[in-house]
Amino acid sequence: MRSRFSRRALLRASALGVGAWGLAKSVFAGPGDREFQLSLNERSLQRALSSGRVDHLDLAKTARTLCDLPAVEYVSHFFADRAQDEAYLKDMNKRAAEYNVRQLLIVVHGEGRLGAPNPGDRKKAVSNHRKWLVAAEALGCHSIEVDTHSEGTPEEQLGRVAEGLAALCEDADKHHINVLAGCRSRPSRDAGWLLQVIRKAGHSACGALPSFAGLAASQRDEDIAALLKLAKGMSADARDFDAQGRETQIDFFRIVSAIVSNGYRGYVGIAYQGGELGELEGILATKTLLETARRFSE
């Protein structure tokens, strides 16, 4: 199915940007790049994909032609039944190559909790994630992102999550893929806690994928700085914007300044989840805000 976004939506998104400002394997953006680059996280198009208005196979096309973005980040549930379909994965590669779009990573959902309280459940979750390591390798991705949700106190969760991550990283090594701990819920949204998890996992394939929401919620600048050194991806969460084009809940300028000052040169994935703007408009508004914050941080 072809992408279907209206010209009206494109014009409205462009107007927002002008009105607001008046203006493969490597984790990193590319040799010689002095700043982070932008990518499109598939969750930004959740409504369009779920309704069938956009096909998963058209993500690279949408990123390049409608958003002028050079890279994409997949979400597993949009092709869960095709993860082991070699022909389908080859088609994804073909379409990404056609539009010169990099396939960076896969955000994995619904495969069990790597930090589950029961050891047997943790083992099963590790097994369930393996097919996504194979898929990520086939697509030329550098990583998969995994959930760090568990139960109990933060201290109890820390040990379980670290154990599950370490076990999965052993498999990831065989496929030359990184395993990134995501910041989807508490306590993982605290940079200090996530930092401890990654250190306890103690594996070179284990890294972080901080979210802007998580970084904004973290109070200690030293924890943020240390976590950014371990980041192999980044998620720019955005929901609503004010009249000046700023995100209403997260100080993008503060986060981008921290990213730049700590030398992060990977990709920042646009993850628009708002309801006031259409999805394409929200993506473009987030892109404009990120580009502006990046210029101000230089």
Side-chain angles (χ1 to χ4, degrees), residues 46-93:
Q46 183 169 285
R47 285 173 285 169
L49 287 158
S50 298
S51 68
R53 289 185 292 114
V54 174
D55 191 287
H56 167 78
L57 287 171
D58 283 331
L59 183 64
K61 176 182 177 182
T62 299
R64 178 62 77 180
T65 63
L66 297 185
C67 306
D68 192 25
L69 292 169
V72 293
E73 302 169 7
Y74 296 115
V75 177
S76 64
H77 66 247
F78 290 117
F79 64 119
D81 59 341
R82 298 298 190 94
Q84 297 172 293
D85 185 333
E86 291 185 12
Y88 190 83
L89 298 178
K90 285 181 180 179
D91 197 4
M92 289 173 65
N93 281 331

mmCIF file of all heavy atoms in Angstrom, residues 46-93:
data_model
loop_
_atom_site.group_PDB
_atom_site.id
_atom_site.type_symbol
_atom_site.label_atom_id
_atom_site.label_comp_id
_atom_site.label_asym_id
_atom_site.label_seq_id
_atom_site.Cartn_x
_atom_site.Cartn_y
_atom_site.Cartn_z
ATOM 1 N N GLN A 46 2.450 5.424 13.997
ATOM 2 C CA GLN A 46 1.669 4.325 14.554
ATOM 3 C C GLN A 46 0.235 4.295 14.041
ATOM 4 O O GLN A 46 -0.286 3.252 13.666
ATOM 5 C CB GLN A 46 1.685 4.428 16.075
ATOM 6 C CG GLN A 46 0.962 3.300 16.785
ATOM 7 C CD GLN A 46 1.226 3.315 18.273
ATOM 8 O OE1 GLN A 46 2.312 2.929 18.714
ATOM 9 N NE2 GLN A 46 0.273 3.793 19.046
ATOM 10 N N ARG A 47 -0.433 5.453 14.024
ATOM 11 C CA ARG A 47 -1.826 5.497 13.585
ATOM 12 C C ARG A 47 -1.957 5.189 12.104
ATOM 13 O O ARG A 47 -2.839 4.432 11.687
ATOM 14 C CB ARG A 47 -2.436 6.867 13.902
ATOM 15 C CG ARG A 47 -2.772 7.083 15.371
ATOM 16 C CD ARG A 47 -3.207 8.509 15.626
ATOM 17 N NE ARG A 47 -2.088 9.432 15.607
ATOM 18 C CZ ARG A 47 -2.196 10.755 15.592
ATOM 19 N NH1 ARG A 47 -3.391 11.324 15.568
ATOM 20 N NH2 ARG A 47 -1.129 11.525 15.592
ATOM 21 N N ALA A 48 -1.086 5.769 11.312
ATOM 22 C CA ALA A 48 -1.136 5.540 9.868
ATOM 23 C C ALA A 48 -0.836 4.086 9.517
ATOM 24 O O ALA A 48 -1.469 3.496 8.643
ATOM 25 C CB ALA A 48 -0.158 6.468 9.156
ATOM 26 N N LEU A 49 0.115 3.492 10.212
ATOM 27 C CA LEU A 49 0.463 2.093 9.968
ATOM 28 C C LEU A 49 -0.651 1.155 10.429
ATOM 29 O O LEU A 49 -0.991 0.199 9.731
ATOM 30 C CB LEU A 49 1.765 1.751 10.685
ATOM 31 C CG LEU A 49 3.038 2.345 10.065
ATOM 32 C CD1 LEU A 49 4.155 2.420 11.094
ATOM 33 C CD2 LEU A 49 3.484 1.521 8.857
ATOM 34 N N SER A 50 -1.214 1.437 11.592
ATOM 35 C CA SER A 50 -2.264 0.569 12.135
ATOM 36 C C SER A 50 -3.525 0.610 11.292
ATOM 37 O O SER A 50 -4.239 -0.391 11.173
ATOM 38 C CB SER A 50 -2.586 0.976 13.580
ATOM 39 O OG SER A 50 -1.453 0.812 14.415
ATOM 40 N N SER A 51 -3.796 1.761 10.690
ATOM 41 C CA SER A 51 -5.000 1.906 9.866
ATOM 42 C C SER A 51 -4.806 1.418 8.438
ATOM 43 O O SER A 51 -5.771 1.269 7.692
ATOM 44 C CB SER A 51 -5.442 3.377 9.838
ATOM 45 O OG SER A 51 -4.494 4.160 9.121
ATOM 46 N N GLY A 52 -3.564 1.173 8.053
ATOM 47 C CA GLY A 52 -3.284 0.731 6.694
ATOM 48 C C GLY A 52 -3.046 1.867 5.713
ATOM 49 O O GLY A 52 -2.830 1.630 4.524
ATOM 50 N N ARG A 53 -3.069 3.122 6.180
ATOM 51 C CA ARG A 53 -2.819 4.250 5.286
ATOM 52 C C ARG A 53 -1.366 4.286 4.821
ATOM 53 O O ARG A 53 -1.049 4.843 3.777
ATOM 54 C CB ARG A 53 -3.193 5.569 5.968
ATOM 55 C CG ARG A 53 -4.687 5.773 6.146
ATOM 56 C CD ARG A 53 -5.005 7.149 6.709
ATOM 57 N NE ARG A 53 -4.554 7.302 8.082
ATOM 58 C CZ ARG A 53 -3.598 8.145 8.469
ATOM 59 N NH1 ARG A 53 -2.984 8.889 7.577
ATOM 60 N NH2 ARG A 53 -3.257 8.233 9.741
ATOM 61 N N VAL A 54 -0.487 3.712 5.646
ATOM 62 C CA VAL A 54 0.920 3.592 5.278
ATOM 63 C C VAL A 54 1.331 2.144 5.499
ATOM 64 O O VAL A 54 0.933 1.518 6.483
ATOM 65 C CB VAL A 54 1.807 4.525 6.131
ATOM 66 C CG1 VAL A 54 3.284 4.289 5.838
ATOM 67 C CG2 VAL A 54 1.454 5.975 5.874
ATOM 68 N N ASP A 55 2.093 1.613 4.567
ATOM 69 C CA ASP A 55 2.592 0.248 4.681
ATOM 70 C C ASP A 55 3.984 0.267 5.321
ATOM 71 O O ASP A 55 4.788 1.162 5.049
ATOM 72 C CB ASP A 55 2.673 -0.394 3.290
ATOM 73 C CG ASP A 55 2.916 -1.884 3.358
ATOM 74 O OD1 ASP A 55 4.049 -2.293 3.678
ATOM 75 O OD2 ASP A 55 1.975 -2.645 3.086
ATOM 76 N N HIS A 56 4.242 -0.726 6.162
ATOM 77 C CA HIS A 56 5.558 -0.845 6.799
ATOM 78 C C HIS A 56 6.684 -0.798 5.768
ATOM 79 O O HIS A 56 7.735 -0.189 6.010
ATOM 80 C CB HIS A 56 5.622 -2.149 7.596
ATOM 81 C CG HIS A 56 6.997 -2.531 8.027
ATOM 82 N ND1 HIS A 56 7.637 -1.953 9.106
ATOM 83 C CD2 HIS A 56 7.877 -3.430 7.505
ATOM 84 C CE1 HIS A 56 8.845 -2.475 9.233
ATOM 85 N NE2 HIS A 56 9.018 -3.368 8.278
ATOM 86 N N LEU A 57 6.481 -1.414 4.628
ATOM 87 C CA LEU A 57 7.514 -1.450 3.603
ATOM 88 C C LEU A 57 7.808 -0.072 3.017
ATOM 89 O O LEU A 57 8.827 0.119 2.355
ATOM 90 C CB LEU A 57 7.114 -2.415 2.482
ATOM 91 C CG LEU A 57 7.191 -3.908 2.817
ATOM 92 C CD1 LEU A 57 6.550 -4.730 1.707
ATOM 93 C CD2 LEU A 57 8.633 -4.341 3.046
ATOM 94 N N ASP A 58 6.930 0.889 3.251
ATOM 95 C CA ASP A 58 7.129 2.233 2.725
ATOM 96 C C ASP A 58 7.774 3.186 3.730
ATOM 97 O O ASP A 58 7.813 4.392 3.499
ATOM 98 C CB ASP A 58 5.784 2.826 2.270
ATOM 99 C CG ASP A 58 5.329 2.265 0.934
ATOM 100 O OD1 ASP A 58 6.194 1.887 0.125
ATOM 101 O OD2 ASP A 58 4.119 2.194 0.708
ATOM 102 N N LEU A 59 8.280 2.652 4.843
ATOM 103 C CA LEU A 59 8.857 3.536 5.854
ATOM 104 C C LEU A 59 10.051 4.309 5.302
ATOM 105 O O LEU A 59 10.165 5.522 5.517
ATOM 106 C CB LEU A 59 9.277 2.736 7.092
ATOM 107 C CG LEU A 59 9.824 3.589 8.246
ATOM 108 C CD1 LEU A 59 8.745 4.518 8.791
ATOM 109 C CD2 LEU A 59 10.373 2.706 9.369
ATOM 110 N N ALA A 60 10.944 3.641 4.603
ATOM 111 C CA ALA A 60 12.118 4.318 4.053
ATOM 112 C C ALA A 60 11.702 5.395 3.050
ATOM 113 O O ALA A 60 12.244 6.505 3.049
ATOM 114 C CB ALA A 60 13.048 3.305 3.387
ATOM 115 N N LYS A 61 10.723 5.079 2.221
ATOM 116 C CA LYS A 61 10.226 6.044 1.239
ATOM 117 C C LYS A 61 9.637 7.266 1.932
ATOM 118 O O LYS A 61 9.892 8.414 1.549
ATOM 119 C CB LYS A 61 9.161 5.383 0.364
ATOM 120 C CG LYS A 61 8.495 6.325 -0.639
ATOM 121 C CD LYS A 61 7.427 5.584 -1.413
ATOM 122 C CE LYS A 61 6.704 6.518 -2.377
ATOM 123 N NZ LYS A 61 5.629 5.806 -3.112
ATOM 124 N N THR A 62 8.830 7.025 2.970
ATOM 125 C CA THR A 62 8.214 8.123 3.714
ATOM 126 C C THR A 62 9.281 8.992 4.371
ATOM 127 O O THR A 62 9.212 10.224 4.336
ATOM 128 C CB THR A 62 7.261 7.565 4.795
ATOM 129 O OG1 THR A 62 6.229 6.805 4.157
ATOM 130 C CG2 THR A 62 6.632 8.683 5.598
ATOM 131 N N ALA A 63 10.280 8.346 4.979
ATOM 132 C CA ALA A 63 11.338 9.087 5.651
ATOM 133 C C ALA A 63 12.071 10.012 4.685
ATOM 134 O O ALA A 63 12.308 11.189 4.991
ATOM 135 C CB ALA A 63 12.325 8.120 6.305
ATOM 136 N N ARG A 64 12.401 9.496 3.517
ATOM 137 C CA ARG A 64 13.206 10.265 2.566
ATOM 138 C C ARG A 64 12.370 11.301 1.809
ATOM 139 O O ARG A 64 12.762 12.470 1.701
ATOM 140 C CB ARG A 64 13.890 9.323 1.586
ATOM 141 C CG ARG A 64 14.722 10.027 0.523
ATOM 142 C CD ARG A 64 15.867 10.822 1.113
ATOM 143 N NE ARG A 64 16.975 9.949 1.516
ATOM 144 C CZ ARG A 64 18.098 10.405 2.058
ATOM 145 N NH1 ARG A 64 18.262 11.698 2.285
ATOM 146 N NH2 ARG A 64 19.061 9.567 2.422
ATOM 147 N N THR A 65 11.230 10.888 1.278
ATOM 148 C CA THR A 65 10.497 11.776 0.367
ATOM 149 C C THR A 65 9.598 12.783 1.077
ATOM 150 O O THR A 65 9.387 13.889 0.573
ATOM 151 C CB THR A 65 9.651 10.957 -0.622
ATOM 152 O OG1 THR A 65 8.657 10.205 0.102
ATOM 153 C CG2 THR A 65 10.526 9.999 -1.427
ATOM 154 N N LEU A 66 9.039 12.426 2.221
ATOM 155 C CA LEU A 66 8.125 13.331 2.906
ATOM 156 C C LEU A 66 8.764 14.047 4.092
ATOM 157 O O LEU A 66 8.279 15.108 4.499
ATOM 158 C CB LEU A 66 6.884 12.568 3.391
ATOM 159 C CG LEU A 66 6.006 11.953 2.298
ATOM 160 C CD1 LEU A 66 4.760 11.336 2.915
ATOM 161 C CD2 LEU A 66 5.622 12.991 1.251
ATOM 162 N N CYS A 67 9.821 13.461 4.645
ATOM 163 C CA CYS A 67 10.437 14.048 5.847
ATOM 164 C C CYS A 67 11.880 14.473 5.633
ATOM 165 O O CYS A 67 12.466 15.101 6.521
ATOM 166 C CB CYS A 67 10.374 13.044 6.999
ATOM 167 S SG CYS A 67 8.723 12.404 7.351
ATOM 168 N N ASP A 68 12.475 14.117 4.505
ATOM 169 C CA ASP A 68 13.881 14.417 4.218
ATOM 170 C C ASP A 68 14.785 13.927 5.342
ATOM 171 O O ASP A 68 15.665 14.640 5.813
ATOM 172 C CB ASP A 68 14.079 15.915 3.982
ATOM 173 C CG ASP A 68 15.452 16.227 3.386
ATOM 174 O OD1 ASP A 68 16.029 15.325 2.741
ATOM 175 O OD2 ASP A 68 15.946 17.356 3.573
ATOM 176 N N LEU A 69 14.551 12.679 5.752
ATOM 177 C CA LEU A 69 15.351 12.055 6.796
ATOM 178 C C LEU A 69 16.120 10.879 6.196
ATOM 179 O O LEU A 69 15.542 10.090 5.436
ATOM 180 C CB LEU A 69 14.471 11.582 7.952
ATOM 181 C CG LEU A 69 13.823 12.706 8.768
ATOM 182 C CD1 LEU A 69 12.767 12.147 9.722
ATOM 183 C CD2 LEU A 69 14.877 13.488 9.545
ATOM 184 N N PRO A 70 17.405 10.712 6.555
ATOM 185 C CA PRO A 70 18.257 9.728 5.885
ATOM 186 C C PRO A 70 18.314 8.361 6.532
ATOM 187 O O PRO A 70 19.079 7.504 6.086
ATOM 188 C CB PRO A 70 19.632 10.393 5.963
ATOM 189 C CG PRO A 70 19.591 11.090 7.290
ATOM 190 C CD PRO A 70 18.179 11.587 7.454
ATOM 191 N N ALA A 71 17.539 8.142 7.610
ATOM 192 C CA ALA A 71 17.657 6.876 8.328
ATOM 193 C C ALA A 71 16.340 6.552 9.024
ATOM 194 O O ALA A 71 15.539 7.443 9.327
ATOM 195 C CB ALA A 71 18.786 6.940 9.348
ATOM 196 N N VAL A 72 16.125 5.238 9.284
ATOM 197 C CA VAL A 72 14.897 4.796 9.943
ATOM 198 C C VAL A 72 15.213 3.839 11.082
ATOM 199 O O VAL A 72 16.256 3.176 11.101
ATOM 200 C CB VAL A 72 13.935 4.098 8.948
ATOM 201 C CG1 VAL A 72 13.405 5.091 7.920
ATOM 202 C CG2 VAL A 72 14.601 2.907 8.278
ATOM 203 N N GLU A 73 14.269 3.790 12.026
ATOM 204 C CA GLU A 73 14.324 2.858 13.149
ATOM 205 C C GLU A 73 13.011 2.096 13.169
ATOM 206 O O GLU A 73 11.944 2.704 13.253
ATOM 207 C CB GLU A 73 14.525 3.633 14.462
ATOM 208 C CG GLU A 73 15.785 4.484 14.455
ATOM 209 C CD GLU A 73 15.838 5.445 15.642
ATOM 210 O OE1 GLU A 73 14.959 5.352 16.522
ATOM 211 O OE2 GLU A 73 16.768 6.275 15.671
ATOM 212 N N TYR A 74 13.093 0.787 13.057
ATOM 213 C CA TYR A 74 11.889 -0.038 12.976
ATOM 214 C C TYR A 74 11.340 -0.391 14.356
ATOM 215 O O TYR A 74 12.064 -0.352 15.352
ATOM 216 C CB TYR A 74 12.191 -1.331 12.216
ATOM 217 C CG TYR A 74 12.568 -1.123 10.769
ATOM 218 C CD1 TYR A 74 13.848 -1.438 10.305
ATOM 219 C CD2 TYR A 74 11.640 -0.621 9.856
ATOM 220 C CE1 TYR A 74 14.193 -1.250 8.975
ATOM 221 C CE2 TYR A 74 11.980 -0.433 8.519
ATOM 222 C CZ TYR A 74 13.260 -0.744 8.084
ATOM 223 O OH TYR A 74 13.596 -0.555 6.767
ATOM 224 N N VAL A 75 10.063 -0.729 14.395
ATOM 225 C CA VAL A 75 9.415 -1.239 15.604
ATOM 226 C C VAL A 75 8.902 -2.634 15.278
ATOM 227 O O VAL A 75 8.195 -2.839 14.284
ATOM 228 C CB VAL A 75 8.260 -0.328 16.051
ATOM 229 C CG1 VAL A 75 7.557 -0.910 17.272
ATOM 230 C CG2 VAL A 75 8.786 1.075 16.374
ATOM 231 N N SER A 76 9.244 -3.606 16.110
ATOM 232 C CA SER A 76 9.043 -5.017 15.779
ATOM 233 C C SER A 76 7.592 -5.395 15.490
ATOM 234 O O SER A 76 7.330 -6.222 14.613
ATOM 235 C CB SER A 76 9.585 -5.905 16.905
ATOM 236 O OG SER A 76 8.855 -5.700 18.116
ATOM 237 N N HIS A 77 6.630 -4.811 16.210
ATOM 238 C CA HIS A 77 5.262 -5.304 16.041
ATOM 239 C C HIS A 77 4.655 -4.930 14.692
ATOM 240 O O HIS A 77 3.621 -5.473 14.313
ATOM 241 C CB HIS A 77 4.358 -4.882 17.212
ATOM 242 C CG HIS A 77 4.097 -3.420 17.331
ATOM 243 N ND1 HIS A 77 4.566 -2.686 18.386
ATOM 244 C CD2 HIS A 77 3.387 -2.563 16.565
ATOM 245 C CE1 HIS A 77 4.164 -1.433 18.253
ATOM 246 N NE2 HIS A 77 3.454 -1.335 17.161
ATOM 247 N N PHE A 78 5.308 -4.043 13.935
ATOM 248 C CA PHE A 78 4.789 -3.715 12.615
ATOM 249 C C PHE A 78 5.196 -4.734 11.552
ATOM 250 O O PHE A 78 4.683 -4.702 10.430
ATOM 251 C CB PHE A 78 5.230 -2.315 12.202
ATOM 252 C CG PHE A 78 4.573 -1.215 12.995
ATOM 253 C CD1 PHE A 78 5.325 -0.375 13.785
ATOM 254 C CD2 PHE A 78 3.198 -1.053 12.981
ATOM 255 C CE1 PHE A 78 4.728 0.629 14.536
ATOM 256 C CE2 PHE A 78 2.585 -0.053 13.723
ATOM 257 C CZ PHE A 78 3.350 0.794 14.510
ATOM 258 N N PHE A 79 6.112 -5.638 11.895
ATOM 259 C CA PHE A 79 6.413 -6.755 10.983
ATOM 260 C C PHE A 79 6.745 -8.015 11.780
ATOM 261 O O PHE A 79 7.608 -8.810 11.418
ATOM 262 C CB PHE A 79 7.512 -6.386 9.980
ATOM 263 C CG PHE A 79 8.883 -6.079 10.548
ATOM 264 C CD1 PHE A 79 9.977 -6.852 10.191
ATOM 265 C CD2 PHE A 79 9.094 -4.999 11.396
ATOM 266 C CE1 PHE A 79 11.258 -6.576 10.687
ATOM 267 C CE2 PHE A 79 10.361 -4.708 11.888
ATOM 268 C CZ PHE A 79 11.445 -5.492 11.531
ATOM 269 N N ALA A 80 5.992 -8.205 12.883
ATOM 270 C CA ALA A 80 6.248 -9.323 13.792
ATOM 271 C C ALA A 80 6.133 -10.676 13.108
ATOM 272 O O ALA A 80 6.889 -11.606 13.415
ATOM 273 C CB ALA A 80 5.298 -9.246 14.985
ATOM 274 N N ASP A 81 5.203 -10.806 12.162
ATOM 275 C CA ASP A 81 5.006 -12.082 11.488
ATOM 276 C C ASP A 81 5.960 -12.277 10.309
ATOM 277 O O ASP A 81 5.906 -13.291 9.628
ATOM 278 C CB ASP A 81 3.557 -12.215 11.023
ATOM 279 C CG ASP A 81 3.129 -11.102 10.075
ATOM 280 O OD1 ASP A 81 3.810 -10.044 10.045
ATOM 281 O OD2 ASP A 81 2.116 -11.267 9.363
ATOM 282 N N ARG A 82 6.833 -11.299 10.065
ATOM 283 C CA ARG A 82 7.773 -11.390 8.941
ATOM 284 C C ARG A 82 9.229 -11.358 9.392
ATOM 285 O O ARG A 82 10.118 -11.248 8.551
ATOM 286 C CB ARG A 82 7.519 -10.231 7.967
ATOM 287 C CG ARG A 82 6.130 -10.212 7.330
ATOM 288 C CD ARG A 82 5.881 -11.443 6.484
ATOM 289 N NE ARG A 82 4.674 -11.341 5.694
ATOM 290 C CZ ARG A 82 4.600 -10.922 4.437
ATOM 291 N NH1 ARG A 82 5.717 -10.562 3.820
ATOM 292 N NH2 ARG A 82 3.457 -10.872 3.807
ATOM 293 N N ALA A 83 9.455 -11.433 10.691
ATOM 294 C CA ALA A 83 10.816 -11.312 11.212
ATOM 295 C C ALA A 83 11.751 -12.373 10.654
ATOM 296 O O ALA A 83 12.960 -12.147 10.526
ATOM 297 C CB ALA A 83 10.806 -11.380 12.734
ATOM 298 N N GLN A 84 11.207 -13.546 10.326
ATOM 299 C CA GLN A 84 12.029 -14.648 9.821
ATOM 300 C C GLN A 84 11.766 -14.947 8.344
ATOM 301 O O GLN A 84 12.148 -15.998 7.847
ATOM 302 C CB GLN A 84 11.788 -15.892 10.679
ATOM 303 C CG GLN A 84 12.220 -15.687 12.135
ATOM 304 C CD GLN A 84 11.816 -16.828 13.046
ATOM 305 O OE1 GLN A 84 10.639 -17.059 13.306
ATOM 306 N NE2 GLN A 84 12.800 -17.568 13.545
ATOM 307 N N ASP A 85 11.129 -13.999 7.682
ATOM 308 C CA ASP A 85 10.806 -14.135 6.262
ATOM 309 C C ASP A 85 11.931 -13.492 5.450
ATOM 310 O O ASP A 85 11.997 -12.272 5.302
ATOM 311 C CB ASP A 85 9.458 -13.452 5.986
ATOM 312 C CG ASP A 85 8.975 -13.642 4.552
ATOM 313 O OD1 ASP A 85 9.813 -13.822 3.656
ATOM 314 O OD2 ASP A 85 7.750 -13.584 4.335
ATOM 315 N N GLU A 86 12.825 -14.305 4.911
ATOM 316 C CA GLU A 86 14.002 -13.778 4.231
ATOM 317 C C GLU A 86 13.636 -12.916 3.029
ATOM 318 O O GLU A 86 14.261 -11.880 2.789
ATOM 319 C CB GLU A 86 14.904 -14.938 3.780
ATOM 320 C CG GLU A 86 15.566 -15.677 4.938
ATOM 321 C CD GLU A 86 16.534 -16.743 4.462
ATOM 322 O OE1 GLU A 86 16.861 -16.757 3.245
ATOM 323 O OE2 GLU A 86 16.988 -17.548 5.285
ATOM 324 N N ALA A 87 12.614 -13.313 2.288
ATOM 325 C CA ALA A 87 12.209 -12.541 1.107
ATOM 326 C C ALA A 87 11.699 -11.163 1.518
ATOM 327 O O ALA A 87 11.978 -10.150 0.852
ATOM 328 C CB ALA A 87 11.131 -13.301 0.335
ATOM 329 N N TYR A 88 10.966 -11.116 2.624
ATOM 330 C CA TYR A 88 10.419 -9.843 3.101
ATOM 331 C C TYR A 88 11.544 -8.923 3.566
ATOM 332 O O TYR A 88 11.550 -7.719 3.254
ATOM 333 C CB TYR A 88 9.447 -10.103 4.246
ATOM 334 C CG TYR A 88 8.634 -8.905 4.665
ATOM 335 C CD1 TYR A 88 7.479 -8.541 3.990
ATOM 336 C CD2 TYR A 88 9.024 -8.138 5.765
ATOM 337 C CE1 TYR A 88 6.718 -7.445 4.386
ATOM 338 C CE2 TYR A 88 8.271 -7.038 6.160
ATOM 339 C CZ TYR A 88 7.123 -6.703 5.476
ATOM 340 O OH TYR A 88 6.374 -5.610 5.868
ATOM 341 N N LEU A 89 12.509 -9.472 4.288
ATOM 342 C CA LEU A 89 13.635 -8.677 4.747
ATOM 343 C C LEU A 89 14.473 -8.169 3.572
ATOM 344 O O LEU A 89 14.959 -7.028 3.598
ATOM 345 C CB LEU A 89 14.511 -9.492 5.704
ATOM 346 C CG LEU A 89 13.826 -9.963 6.997
ATOM 347 C CD1 LEU A 89 14.801 -10.800 7.828
ATOM 348 C CD2 LEU A 89 13.312 -8.791 7.817
ATOM 349 N N LYS A 90 14.597 -8.984 2.535
ATOM 350 C CA LYS A 90 15.313 -8.534 1.339
ATOM 351 C C LYS A 90 14.572 -7.392 0.667
ATOM 352 O O LYS A 90 15.189 -6.458 0.129
ATOM 353 C CB LYS A 90 15.476 -9.705 0.363
ATOM 354 C CG LYS A 90 16.534 -10.719 0.783
ATOM 355 C CD LYS A 90 16.666 -11.839 -0.237
ATOM 356 C CE LYS A 90 17.720 -12.841 0.182
ATOM 357 N NZ LYS A 90 17.844 -13.964 -0.789
ATOM 358 N N ASP A 91 13.241 -7.442 0.686
ATOM 359 C CA ASP A 91 12.434 -6.360 0.124
ATOM 360 C C ASP A 91 12.646 -5.072 0.921
ATOM 361 O O ASP A 91 12.748 -3.976 0.353
ATOM 362 C CB ASP A 91 10.957 -6.756 0.130
ATOM 363 C CG ASP A 91 10.112 -5.889 -0.803
ATOM 364 O OD1 ASP A 91 10.681 -5.028 -1.507
ATOM 365 O OD2 ASP A 91 8.877 -6.091 -0.839
ATOM 366 N N MET A 92 12.717 -5.197 2.250
ATOM 367 C CA MET A 92 13.003 -4.027 3.085
ATOM 368 C C MET A 92 14.361 -3.432 2.714
ATOM 369 O O MET A 92 14.503 -2.209 2.589
ATOM 370 C CB MET A 92 12.973 -4.414 4.565
ATOM 371 C CG MET A 92 11.583 -4.716 5.101
ATOM 372 S SD MET A 92 11.585 -5.379 6.807
ATOM 373 C CE MET A 92 12.231 -3.968 7.718
ATOM 374 N N ASN A 93 15.352 -4.291 2.525
ATOM 375 C CA ASN A 93 16.682 -3.818 2.131
ATOM 376 C C ASN A 93 16.649 -3.119 0.775
ATOM 377 O O ASN A 93 17.274 -2.072 0.586
ATOM 378 C CB ASN A 93 17.656 -4.996 2.059
ATOM 379 C CG ASN A 93 18.156 -5.434 3.421
ATOM 380 O OD1 ASN A 93 18.241 -4.637 4.347
ATOM 381 N ND2 ASN A 93 18.493 -6.704 3.550
#
